[in-house]
Structure formats: C-alpha cells, structure tokens
Amino acid sequence: MFGRNPRKAREMEQQIRNRQVLKEYVCRVEGEFPEGKTECGQPVEVVSYKIGVCKVSAHGKECRTEFERLSYNGVTSVVLCRPFTGRMHQIRVHLQYLGFPVMNDPLYNHTVFGPDKGKGGNIGKTDEKLIADLISIHNAENWLGMDGDTELSMFNKGDDGDGKGDIATKILPLDGSLPANKKEGCVNAPVHSVHHNNFDPANPLGCIENNPLIPRNCTITRPPPITRPCRSPVVLRQPLESAPVVESEDDELLAKNKEYRYVPEKMTWDPNCYECKVRYRDPKSKDLVMYLHAWRYKGPDWQFETRLPQWAEPGWQQPQEEKK
C-alpha cells in the first residue's frame, strides 16, 4: 500500500504499527483443514535473516494467527487467514506447524523440515543442519527471502542486522556458495567453482558453457560485450550473441519507452565478476505464484479488497502441468 501524500502515509504506518489494521489473506493448503475457526498462537523465531527462514520456537516472538476454512475440494482446502501480529512468514509457518502447509510453498512445504514437513514443530535437526540442507538443496536466491514482517525491513536490522551472527553467514563463504565436505548435511560431491580463478579470459564462452554448475535452461546464454569503463563506454569486444529485436505492438511499456529495450552494446561484462558468469535458470510459470493471496485490509475508516484468484474458487483443481 502506498500513501498518496506524506501525511496519509504516516497515518497508515501508525495504524499498522498500532495493530489497527485487520489483514485478511486467502490460501490453498494441503489436506482437509478443520471446519470453523482455528487459532495458532505459537511464537515464531527467525532461524536465519540472511536467507529468510523461520520456525515455531519457544524462543521466538509473540505470534497469533486465526484461520477459517472456506472450502474443501476433496484434496486441498481454501483457508482465510487473519494474522494479528506481523512476523516474517507468519502465516506460512503457522500453517506448517498445524500440518496444513500452503500446497505449493517451496520452502515450508518441504521434507527438508523432516518427514512430517515441520508439523507440530518437529524438525528433528539443529538450526545449523537445517540451513545447510536448505542451501544445498535449493538456490536461495530463487525462493528464499523476507516478506511480511512489519518489524523487519532494510531500515530495521534488528538485533542481528549486520548478519555476522547469522547461521547462513557462518555456513556460506563470501561468494554465497556452499563448500562441499565442509558443513554437516552437505552432499559429498566434487567442487566445480565458477569463481574467476577457474576462468580463462581468452576463452570466456568455453569456460562458461563447460561449467557443470551453470544451468542450461536459461534465457541469457552469452555474455554481453566487454566495455571500457568511462563516461561513454568503448566496446572492446562485440557481444558473443545478440538477441534479435522483437517488435511487440502489444507491449505498451516498450511502445512508449523505447529506451527500455535491451541493447546488448550498452551492457558491460567483467570477466572477474562472479555474477557476470552465472546464468540463472528461467523459472516455470508455476514457480512464480504461491497460493497465498493478500485479500482484504481494513483500517479504522477505510477498507481495500482485491479480487480473489482463480485457485481460491471452491471447485478448483490443480492443473496437470503444475503437478509435474
């Protein structure tokens, strides 16, 4: 939500801080959620701020969420969620604890939290082991993050804001990758580094394409041109591959702002940069949506409601392509 002027923005912020705003979310969870209202008041603790993982813990902060089943299609349930506190991942963690995780939650609906996926708070491993397993299983940048915590933002670093005491910081080296054979829970596998120490500037494309850690199903398959840093970049090498310019009359943004188009010659590429050599896997459409939707916000004298998504309809069934 955005205030249209500073006064209104401060007013809305104050209402949220004073818990005068009722927030209602809708989600689709696994299994047959109990009828009527269910309340979860388990405290939630942040296991790692760096990659954004939480769990129910006696050492956590006060946390309370009310749930109410709206429908059940024989496999999954649509549940109305009312969080009365603003902890990070509060709804998702409480649903995991109750044994009804959001059906396509890539984090809290995962056996990395144990065979019961964290139901009842039973994870069966230390925080260090949990973080190590999460990092070794998934690329944290794809699906781990911080959202929904009113007390956690870039302006509020909390007690551990510098990250020095974060478990993930201790496990991850500076480049963000997990060293094999170093931490508990890591897969015993040979290390193929994509760091510049293994990079040959004379054959950049070969080094990138022959690296087994770089995913193949991605959009950007070639580095852009190398340019000399200056006010007007001088192209030292032409791009190894330039995508054809595709005219899209339907794209209103590009039609009005042609400067937003991708121009390979304007890109720079540093052969010593780790990020420049990593090619990210294109997500599938099913990876871009989680069945948790902010539906309605109510303040003392205002209310805003969004349209419910298709997956929240009572008789909805999961598409076959999403089950793959």
Side-chain angles (χ1 to χ4, degrees):
M1 296 188 301
F2 294 90
R4 297 179 64 179
N5 56 66
R7 181 189 62 79
K8 195 63 178 179
R10 286 192 295 269
E11 179 183 318
M12 294 172 66
E13 179 185 9
Q14 199 64 32
Q15 290 175 0
I16 293 174
R17 288 186 177 277
N18 294 336
R19 299 183 182 174
Q20 295 176 290
V21 177
L22 175 64
K23 296 172 284 186
E24 293 184 309
Y25 295 76
V26 172
C27 65
R28 185 170 284 276
V29 303
E30 287 190 347
E32 184 177 2
F33 199 85
E35 291 184 324
K37 294 182 179 180
T38 301
E39 186 171 303
C40 185
Q42 296 292 329
V44 170
E45 177 185 21
V46 179
V47 179
S48 169
Y49 284 98
K50 188 176 182 68
I51 64 174
V53 180
C54 305
K55 70 173 185 178
V56 164
S57 168
H59 305 293
K61 294 180 179 179
E62 170 209 0
C63 195
R64 185 167 72 93
T65 315
E66 182 182 85
F67 301 99
E68 183 177 355
R69 192 178 93 182
L70 299 180
S71 64
Y72 174 60
N73 67 1
V75 182
T76 58
S77 304
V78 176
V79 178
L80 177 64
C81 317
R82 299 185 183 95
F84 295 105
T85 48
R87 308 303 176 203
M88 185 167 75
H89 297 177
Q90 171 176 332
I91 293 174
R92 297 161 66 189
V93 172
H94 273 176
L95 286 169
Q96 178 196 52
Y97 179 86
L98 294 174
F100 301 95
V102 175
M103 62 174 293
N104 63 343
D105 189 331
L107 175 56
Y108 297 106
N109 189 3
H110 198 287
T111 53
V112 70
F113 284 90
D116 295 328
K117 300 181 180 179
K119 179 180 179 180
N122 298 319
I123 300 176
K125 59 181 72 174
T126 64
D127 291 350
E128 289 77 8
K129 178 74 160 61
L130 174 63
I131 295 301
D133 287 350
L134 283 169
I135 295 171
S136 64
I137 290 173
H138 291 279
N139 177 350
E141 291 181 347
N142 284 341
W143 57 275
L144 297 182
M146 289 182 281
D147 58 41
D149 194 335
T150 57
E151 295 184 5
L152 183 67
S153 69
M154 68 180 71
F155 305 108
N156 182 8
K157 296 186 178 180
D159 298 332
D160 194 29
D162 58 5
K164 294 179 180 178
D166 195 288
I167 296 173
T169 303
K170 298 175 182 177
I171 294 175
L172 286 167
L174 291 178
D175 66 359
S177 59
L178 187 68
N181 309 321
K182 295 291 184 181
K183 298 293 179 182
E184 182 183 9
C186 296
V187 179
N188 200 0
V191 177
H192 302 278
S193 173
V194 292
H195 196 264
H196 68 271
N197 290 340
N198 291 341
F199 184 75
D200 180 10
N203 185 22
L205 183 58
C207 292
I208 293 173
E209 291 195 331
N210 293 328
N211 193 313
L213 287 189
I214 295 177
R216 302 303 174 209
N217 57 326
C218 55
T219 302
I220 301 176
T221 56
R222 300 291 186 272
I226 296 177
T227 60
R228 180 184 301 145
C230 58
R231 178 171 297 181
S232 299
V234 177
V235 177
L236 303 180
R237 177 185 57 73
Q238 292 298 322
L240 297 177
E241 173 180 284
S242 298
V245 177
V246 179
E247 295 295 335
S248 175
E249 298 297 333
D250 297 330
D251 196 321
E252 184 178 351
L253 179 64
L254 290 181
K256 292 182 178 179
N257 304 276
K258 295 185 182 301
E259 67 273 16
Y260 289 172
R261 293 185 182 277
Y262 172 66
V263 181
E265 288 73 19
K266 292 184 178 181
M267 295 292 292
T268 60
W269 183 66
D270 184 352
N272 293 325
C273 171
Y274 171 84
E275 295 296 337
C276 283
K277 297 194 291 292
V278 175
R279 295 190 293 178
Y280 293 100
R281 184 177 293 106
D282 272 345
K284 298 178 180 179
S285 57
K286 67 183 182 68
D287 300 323
L288 301 176
V289 176
M290 185 163 58
Y291 298 152
L292 174 62
H293 174 76
W295 181 37
R296 181 190 294 138
Y297 275 31
K298 295 179 182 178
D301 55 357
W302 58 270
Q303 174 178 322
F304 181 77
E305 180 178 316
T306 63
R307 185 174 59 184
L308 286 175
Q310 187 178 11
W311 53 257
E313 296 175 0
W316 178 89
Q317 297 291 333
Q318 186 178 20
Q320 287 298 322
E321 58 268 21
E322 290 191 10
K323 298 179 180 179
K324 299 177 182 179

